[in-house]
Amino acid sequence: MWRDIQGSNDWHDLIKPLNPILREEIIRYGELVGTCYKAFDLNPSSKRFLNCKYGKASMFQKVGMASSGYEITKYIYAAPGISMPTQQDDAGQSRWIGYVAVSTDDESKRIGRREILVSFRGTATSTEWLANLMSSLAPARFDPTNQQPDVKVESGFLSLYTSDDSTCKFSQGSCREQLLKEVTWLINQYKGEELSVTLAGHSMGSSLAILFGYDLTELGLNRIYPSREIPVTVYSFGGPRVGNSNFKDRCNNLGLKVLRVVNTCDPIPKLPGVIMNEGMRVIGGRYELPWSDSCYAHVGVELSLDFFKLENPKCVHDLETYIRLLKYCSMIENVEKSEDPWYEKAKEIVARNKMIHVWPWQDAARQVSDLVQSLGF
């Protein structure tokens, strides 16, 4: 059922209740995104500052995911293309943003197809935060033969995706150019096999994943003529809005599948467009307003994680929070079925979470982590 899990039917009947196979896949992609944070070097005194700490061949092993089932083929770099008002250590520099990988033969047998995976980390530097805060819309214009000026995206994300740093020692070209070249090459390499393209990202990284998914499908690079189309799916964790309503409609028309995993308490998915969003496009569900093209709109299907409530913004947006609590929810269901004595302890933590408005994150995380380890999940 891999095509259903990848959204061929827009995850119909898989969200409520959350299908256990889909849950495991979401966790798996979240952990693959998490490797980007673990491997990113933020030490200004390091020779690998703003780069990956490890080489492609050893990265998964170094971050504790030696059995990931993927081989990294390329590291991806991005330049914000934004001028900071003051001099910053990361201003103007190209930085490591993620990787392209392909499933191994054994993993391909397990998941039912060869998978090309692109994983993006989220915001980690000051210039990236500035890019997140740029709320103006700009035409994407990715297809030179059909520029569609009404299809607009957030200018900061667009800058990060398309800007080039000619001084970068590790790559040539913009993030966009690197991705198109590598993924197109891999599609050609494996075109004789059952194939899928999966893009996964957290926060700002989910915006880049959606932009690249749109770019790839808009240019038709996922089509193998005469009639074969490779499915392209985005797994977004805590991602903001990326473009306007026309961008959303275009992604839908192109068949780009996006599953947005969001915590209802996380403020980032509510940005940009806190006011000017999809809710302001029409009056009474019938009359489209004249400024609707300037309204941001989320793309895809939402999976809302409303089973935990935290007020600390760093906690509610943290990728590890998403992953741990998805595992935790799965764990509760599993131990309930097996009548494990630890189930009572699990219920106690859940009940405490629901009873108080603020859940002390460090204590809760420690309890959940200990419980998960004790149960062998």
Side-chain angles (χ1 to χ4, degrees):
M1 59 182 295
W2 73 263
R3 290 185 180 274
D4 290 334
I5 297 298
Q6 292 299 102
S8 63
N9 197 27
D10 293 318
W11 296 279
H12 181 66
D13 288 338
L14 297 179
I15 300 295
K16 293 183 179 181
L18 181 56
N19 180 279
I21 298 176
L22 177 59
R23 186 204 311 276
E24 290 305 312
E25 287 298 275
I26 294 170
I27 293 170
R28 185 170 71 92
Y29 289 124
E31 290 175 337
L32 287 164
V33 173
T35 62
C36 296
Y37 286 108
K38 295 175 182 177
F40 188 46
D41 193 339
L42 274 171
N43 181 5
S45 62
S46 171
K47 292 181 179 179
R48 302 186 74 85
F49 178 51
L50 298 180
N51 190 18
C52 182
K53 299 175 187 176
Y54 316 112
K56 294 193 294 290
S58 63
M59 195 272 272
F60 283 133
Q61 186 269 329
K62 292 287 187 180
V63 300
M65 287 193 66
S67 59
S68 68
Y70 293 84
E71 294 176 351
I72 296 174
T73 64
K74 186 174 181 60
Y75 280 164
I76 302 299
Y77 296 80
I82 299 170
S83 298
M84 294 291 291
T86 58
Q87 187 64 31
Q88 301 286 332
D89 287 335
D90 69 310
Q93 284 185 263
S94 185
R95 70 285 318 282
W96 184 66
I97 203 76
Y99 59 85
V100 180
V102 64
S103 57
T104 62
D105 290 345
D106 288 343
E107 181 68 5
S108 297
K109 291 177 182 177
R110 188 188 73 84
I111 62 177
R113 81 276 184 192
R114 184 76 64 177
E115 181 174 59
I116 299 169
L117 170 71
V118 186
S119 178
F120 301 91
R121 64 167 177 81
T123 310
T125 69
S126 54
T127 48
E128 291 168 2
W129 276 113
L130 185 60
N132 288 354
L133 296 172
M134 294 176 65
S135 59
S136 60
L137 287 162
R141 302 183 189 275
F142 289 157
D143 185 353
T145 64
N146 184 17
Q147 296 195 0
Q148 303 188 70
D150 292 335
V151 175
K152 298 179 180 180
V153 297
E154 199 255 21
S155 57
F157 301 143
L158 182 63
S159 174
L160 191 65
Y161 183 59
T162 58
S163 295
D164 183 12
D165 175 16
S166 59
T167 66
C168 181
K169 298 181 295 183
F170 303 103
S171 68
Q172 292 183 339
S174 65
C175 174
R176 180 193 186 212
E177 291 167 339
Q178 296 166 57
L179 286 168
L180 289 175
K181 181 178 180 181
E182 182 68 11
V183 172
T184 301
W185 183 81
L186 287 171
I187 288 174
N188 187 60
Q189 283 288 106
Y190 295 104
K191 63 184 179 182
E193 301 182 25
E194 194 78 58
L195 189 60
S196 71
V197 176
T198 303
L199 318 172
H202 172 242
S203 190
M204 174 194 70
S206 71
S207 303
L208 293 175
I210 291 173
L211 278 177
F212 178 53
Y214 163 67
D215 199 0
L216 194 68
T217 53
E218 182 68 85
L219 295 175
L221 298 177
N222 66 317
R223 300 186 189 101
I224 299 176
Y225 292 98
S227 59
R228 184 179 165 204
E229 188 168 298
I230 298 167
V232 180
T233 304
V234 176
Y235 284 85
S236 163
F237 296 87
R241 295 183 180 94
V242 178
N244 65 356
S245 54
N246 292 325
F247 176 73
K248 172 188 176 180
D249 293 341
R250 186 59 182 160
C251 288
N252 291 339
N253 292 338
L254 290 168
L256 176 64
K257 302 300 181 180
V258 180
L259 182 62
R260 296 185 299 104
V261 185
V262 300
N263 170 15
T264 56
C265 301
D266 187 347
I268 300 301
K270 299 175 177 62
L271 302 172
V274 174
I275 298 175
M276 300 289 287
N277 56 49
E278 52 266 64
M280 289 192 65
R281 288 187 60 194
V282 296
I283 296 177
R286 297 178 59 190
Y287 305 105
E288 188 161 318
L289 298 173
W291 57 76
S292 60
D293 287 351
S294 299
C295 292
Y296 278 91
H298 271 304
V299 178
V301 176
E302 179 177 291
L303 168 59
S304 178
L305 306 181
D306 58 359
F307 50 81
F308 63 101
K309 299 182 183 297
L310 303 168
E311 281 194 338
N312 184 336
K314 291 183 67 176
C315 295
V316 296
H317 186 58
D318 184 68
L319 178 61
E320 286 299 317
T321 303
Y322 278 73
I323 296 172
R324 284 180 181 178
L325 291 170
L326 275 164
K327 287 182 177 180
Y328 181 40
C329 186
S330 175
M331 176 193 67
I332 296 299
E333 294 176 359
N334 288 337
V335 295
E336 183 179 16
K337 291 175 183 177
S338 64
E339 298 182 354
D340 194 295
W342 277 98
Y343 177 55
E344 293 303 318
K345 181 63 176 177
K347 284 202 301 184
E348 178 186 330
I349 297 176
V350 173
R352 189 183 312 132
N353 174 28
K354 292 179 178 178
M355 288 170 59
I356 59 177
H357 188 57
V358 181
W359 191 16
W361 166 245
Q362 292 182 341
D363 292 342
R366 192 178 300 111
Q367 291 179 66
V368 171
S369 178
D370 291 346
L371 189 59
V372 168
Q373 291 178 15
S374 298
L375 291 169
F377 288 91

